Amino acid sequence: MKATATAHPIQGLVKYHGIRDPDLRTPYHDSISLCTAPSNSTTTVAFEPDRNEDTYVIDGDRVDGRGAERIRTVVDHVRERAGIDHAVRMESENNFPTNVGFGSSASGFAALATALVEATDLELTHPEISTIARRGSTSAARAVTGGFSDLRAGSNDADCRSERLDVDFEDDVRIVGAVIPAYKETEAAHAEAEDSHMFQGRLAHVHEQLADMRDALGRGDFERTFEIAEHDTLSLAATTMTGPSGWVYWQPESLAVFETVRNLRSDGVPVYFSGDTGASIYINTTAEHVDQVESTISDLGIETRVWRVGGPARVRNADAALF
C-alpha cells in the first residue's frame, strides 16, 4: 500500500480569507486560482502494518507540532474512508521556495491526498479528492484539480469542492515569480481574519469580484482576469494588515515590483502583479512578453522563477518514489 503523487502550487486570483469551519477548513466564500508549473511538491506515502506510529518528513526534516496535526487530519480521514488502521510513512519534497508566499502548503496537501487515495485504492475523481486535500489546506483543493480552478464555499464535502475551469488563454499565460524571502504564517492570518474591521467589507464585495472573474475567464479576457487579481491582492492585504496582529507581509522589494509592473504596463506591456499572504509576488504576463518582464524584475536584484499554468495532481510511477 504505497503510492507517489505530484501537485503544483497555486496562485490565488480571487483569494479566500478566513475559515468558517476549522475542522473541515471550509471558507467563508468561493475562491479562484491557477496552478504554477513546473514548480511542484512530490509526496510518497506507505501504509506499513509493522510501523508503530506515523512519521512525516518534508524536505528532509521531520514534521511535528501543528504541521503534523494538519497532515494527520488528512491521513486519518483517508484511513477512515478506506477502513484501515495501519501507520503511515510520508516523505515530501518541494522543488521551489517554501514559506515565502508561493502556495507550498496547497501543493503539498494536494500531493498527499492524491497519494493516499491511490495507496488505498479509493476510486475518486479530482473534485472528490479535493475535499480530502482541503482538510489540510483550503487552497489544496484547487491544487488537486489544477489549471484555473474554482473552489465553491459550502458546509460539507458535497458543496465545498474544487472544479477546473476551461480557459481559452491558459497556454499563453506566463508567471514570473519574484522570490522575496520573508517567512510568513498564513494559518495565523486566517485565524484572526474575522477580527479585522475590513473583513465584513471584503465579504460584501468579494461575490461581485468572483462573478466578474468568472465572466472574464469565460470570455477569455486576459487583461480583465489579471486586473481583478491585482485588485484582489490589495483587498486581501488590507484585511490582513488590519487584524489584531497587524500582519504586514510586503517588503520594500515587493513594493518595488508593484511600481515596476505598473511602469511596464504604462509602456504597453500586458502585465499585472498578484500576491497571496507573503512578500513574494507573482507577475502575470504572456508568452510574448515574459522575457522582457523577467529581465526587468531581475534588474531589481530580485531572484525570479518563470512558470506556466500547471495541470492537476497526478499519480507517479513507482520509480519516482522518495523511499
Side-chain angles (χ1 to χ4, degrees), residues 267-301:
D267 290 336
V269 179
V271 59
Y272 301 84
F273 66 77
S274 178
D276 295 321
T277 36
S280 297
I281 305 298
Y282 301 97
I283 302 104
N284 298 295
T285 187
T286 63
E288 178 184 354
H289 295 277
V290 67
D291 290 342
Q292 177 187 359
V293 172
E294 191 278 332
S295 176
T296 304
I297 299 300
S298 292
D299 286 346
L300 298 174

Coordinates of all heavy atoms in Angstrom, one line a residue, residues 267-301:
D267 N 3.8 51.3 -20.5 CA 4.5 51.2 -21.7 C 3.9 50.3 -22.7 O 4.5 50.0 -23.8 CB 6.0 50.8 -21.5 CG 6.8 51.9 -20.8 OD1 6.4 53.1 -20.9 OD2 7.8 51.6 -20.1
G268 N 2.7 49.7 -22.4 CA 2.0 48.9 -23.3 C 2.2 47.4 -23.1 O 1.7 46.6 -23.9
V269 N 2.9 47.0 -22.0 CA 3.1 45.5 -21.8 C 2.0 45.0 -21.0 O 1.6 45.6 -20.0 CB 4.5 45.3 -21.0 CG1 4.7 43.8 -20.7 CG2 5.6 45.9 -21.8
P270 N 1.4 43.9 -21.4 CA 0.3 43.3 -20.7 C 0.8 42.5 -19.4 O 1.3 41.4 -19.5 CB -0.4 42.3 -21.7 CG 0.7 41.9 -22.6 CD 1.6 43.1 -22.7
V271 N 0.9 43.2 -18.3 CA 1.5 42.6 -17.1 C 0.8 43.1 -15.9 O 0.4 44.3 -15.8 CB 3.0 42.9 -17.1 CG1 3.2 44.4 -17.1 CG2 3.7 42.2 -15.9
Y272 N 0.6 42.2 -14.9 CA -0.1 42.5 -13.7 C 0.5 41.8 -12.5 O 1.0 40.7 -12.6 CB -1.6 42.1 -13.8 CG -2.3 42.7 -15.0 CD1 -2.2 42.2 -16.2 CD2 -3.1 43.9 -14.8 CE1 -2.9 42.8 -17.3 CE2 -3.7 44.5 -15.8 CZ -3.6 44.0 -17.1 OH -4.2 44.6 -18.2
F273 N 0.5 42.4 -11.3 CA 1.1 41.8 -10.2 C -0.1 41.1 -9.4 O -1.2 41.4 -9.5 CB 1.9 42.7 -9.3 CG 1.0 43.8 -8.6 CD1 0.3 43.6 -7.5 CD2 1.1 45.1 -9.1 CE1 -0.5 44.6 -6.9 CE2 0.4 46.1 -8.5 CZ -0.4 45.9 -7.4
S274 N 0.3 40.1 -8.6 CA -0.6 39.4 -7.7 C 0.2 38.8 -6.5 O 1.4 38.5 -6.7 CB -1.3 38.3 -8.5 OG -2.2 37.6 -7.6
G275 N -0.4 38.7 -5.4 CA 0.2 38.1 -4.3 C -0.7 37.5 -3.3 O -1.9 37.9 -3.2
D276 N -0.3 36.4 -2.6 CA -1.1 35.8 -1.6 C -0.5 36.4 -0.2 O 0.0 37.5 -0.2 CB -1.0 34.3 -1.7 CG -1.6 33.8 -3.0 OD1 -2.7 34.3 -3.4 OD2 -1.1 32.9 -3.6
T277 N -0.6 35.6 0.8 CA -0.1 36.0 2.1 C 1.4 35.7 2.1 O 1.8 34.6 2.3 CB -0.8 35.3 3.3 OG1 -1.1 34.0 2.9 CG2 -2.0 36.1 3.7
G278 N 2.2 36.8 1.8 CA 3.7 36.6 1.8 C 4.3 37.8 1.0 O 3.6 38.6 0.4
A279 N 5.6 37.9 1.2 CA 6.3 39.0 0.5 C 6.5 38.8 -1.0 O 6.6 39.7 -1.8 CB 7.6 39.3 1.2
S280 N 6.6 37.5 -1.4 CA 6.9 37.2 -2.8 C 5.7 37.6 -3.6 O 4.6 37.5 -3.2 CB 7.2 35.7 -2.9 OG 8.4 35.4 -2.2
I281 N 6.0 37.9 -4.9 CA 5.0 38.4 -5.8 C 5.0 37.6 -7.1 O 6.0 37.2 -7.6 CB 5.3 39.9 -6.1 CG1 5.4 40.7 -4.8 CG2 4.2 40.5 -7.0 CD1 4.1 40.7 -4.0
Y282 N 3.8 37.4 -7.6 CA 3.6 36.8 -8.9 C 3.4 38.0 -9.9 O 2.7 39.0 -9.6 CB 2.3 36.0 -9.0 CG 2.2 34.8 -8.0 CD1 1.6 34.9 -6.8 CD2 2.8 33.6 -8.4 CE1 1.5 33.8 -5.9 CE2 2.8 32.5 -7.5 CZ 2.1 32.6 -6.3 OH 2.0 31.6 -5.4
I283 N 4.0 37.9 -11.1 CA 3.8 38.8 -12.1 C 3.3 38.1 -13.3 O 3.9 37.2 -13.9 CB 5.1 39.6 -12.5 CG1 5.7 40.3 -11.3 CG2 4.9 40.6 -13.6 CD1 6.9 39.6 -10.7
N284 N 2.0 38.4 -13.7 CA 1.3 37.7 -14.7 C 1.4 38.4 -16.1 O 1.1 39.6 -16.2 CB -0.1 37.5 -14.4 CG -0.3 36.7 -13.1 OD1 0.0 35.5 -13.1 ND2 -0.8 37.3 -12.0
T285 N 1.9 37.7 -17.1 CA 2.0 38.3 -18.4 C 1.8 37.2 -19.5 O 1.2 36.1 -19.2 CB 3.4 38.9 -18.6 OG1 3.5 39.6 -19.8 CG2 4.6 37.9 -18.5
T286 N 2.2 37.4 -20.7 CA 2.0 36.5 -21.8 C 3.3 35.9 -22.3 O 4.4 36.4 -22.0 CB 1.3 37.2 -23.0 OG1 2.2 38.2 -23.5 CG2 0.0 37.8 -22.6
A287 N 3.3 34.8 -23.1 CA 4.5 34.2 -23.6 C 5.3 35.2 -24.4 O 6.6 35.2 -24.4 CB 4.1 33.0 -24.4
E288 N 4.7 36.1 -25.1 CA 5.4 37.0 -26.0 C 6.2 38.0 -25.1 O 7.3 38.4 -25.6 CB 4.4 37.8 -26.8 CG 5.0 38.9 -27.7 CD 4.0 39.8 -28.4 OE1 2.8 39.4 -28.4 OE2 4.4 40.7 -29.1
H289 N 5.8 38.4 -24.0 CA 6.4 39.4 -23.2 C 7.2 38.9 -22.0 O 7.8 39.7 -21.3 CB 5.4 40.4 -22.7 CG 4.7 41.2 -23.8 ND1 5.2 42.3 -24.4 CD2 3.5 40.9 -24.5 CE1 4.5 42.7 -25.4 NE2 3.4 41.9 -25.5
V290 N 7.2 37.6 -21.7 CA 7.7 37.1 -20.5 C 9.2 37.4 -20.3 O 9.7 37.7 -19.2 CB 7.4 35.6 -20.3 CG1 8.2 34.7 -21.3 CG2 7.8 35.1 -18.9
D291 N 10.0 37.3 -21.4 CA 11.4 37.5 -21.3 C 11.7 39.0 -20.9 O 12.6 39.2 -20.0 CB 12.1 37.2 -22.6 CG 12.2 35.8 -23.0 OD1 12.0 34.9 -22.0 OD2 12.4 35.4 -24.1
Q292 N 11.0 39.9 -21.5 CA 11.2 41.3 -21.1 C 10.8 41.5 -19.6 O 11.5 42.2 -18.9 CB 10.3 42.2 -22.0 CG 10.4 43.7 -21.6 CD 9.4 44.6 -22.4 OE1 8.6 44.0 -23.2 NE2 9.4 45.9 -22.1
V293 N 9.7 41.0 -19.2 CA 9.2 41.1 -17.8 C 10.2 40.5 -16.8 O 10.6 41.1 -15.8 CB 7.8 40.5 -17.6 CG1 7.4 40.5 -16.1 CG2 6.8 41.3 -18.4
E294 N 10.7 39.3 -17.1 CA 11.6 38.6 -16.2 C 12.9 39.4 -16.1 O 13.5 39.6 -15.0 CB 11.8 37.2 -16.7 CG 12.6 36.3 -15.8 CD 14.1 36.5 -15.8 OE1 14.6 36.9 -16.9 OE2 14.8 36.2 -14.8
S295 N 13.4 39.9 -17.2 CA 14.6 40.7 -17.2 C 14.5 41.9 -16.4 O 15.4 42.3 -15.6 CB 15.1 41.0 -18.7 OG 16.2 41.8 -18.7
T296 N 13.4 42.6 -16.5 CA 13.2 43.9 -15.8 C 13.1 43.6 -14.3 O 13.6 44.4 -13.5 CB 11.9 44.5 -16.3 OG1 11.9 44.7 -17.7 CG2 11.7 45.9 -15.6
I297 N 12.4 42.5 -13.9 CA 12.3 42.2 -12.5 C 13.7 41.8 -11.9 O 14.1 42.2 -10.8 CB 11.3 41.1 -12.2 CG1 9.9 41.6 -12.7 CG2 11.3 40.7 -10.7 CD1 9.4 42.8 -11.9
S298 N 14.4 41.0 -12.7 CA 15.8 40.6 -12.3 C 16.7 41.8 -12.1 O 17.6 41.8 -11.2 CB 16.4 39.7 -13.4 OG 15.7 38.4 -13.4
D299 N 16.5 42.8 -12.9 CA 17.4 44.0 -12.8 C 17.1 44.8 -11.5 O 18.0 45.6 -11.1 CB 17.0 45.0 -14.0 CG 17.6 44.6 -15.3 OD1 18.5 43.6 -15.3 OD2 17.2 45.1 -16.3
L300 N 16.1 44.4 -10.8 CA 15.8 45.0 -9.4 C 16.7 44.3 -8.4 O 16.7 44.7 -7.2 CB 14.4 44.9 -9.0 CG 13.4 45.6 -9.9 CD1 11.9 45.3 -9.5 CD2 13.6 47.1 -9.9
G301 N 17.4 43.2 -8.8 CA 18.2 42.4 -7.9 C 17.4 41.4 -7.2 O 17.8 40.9 -6.1

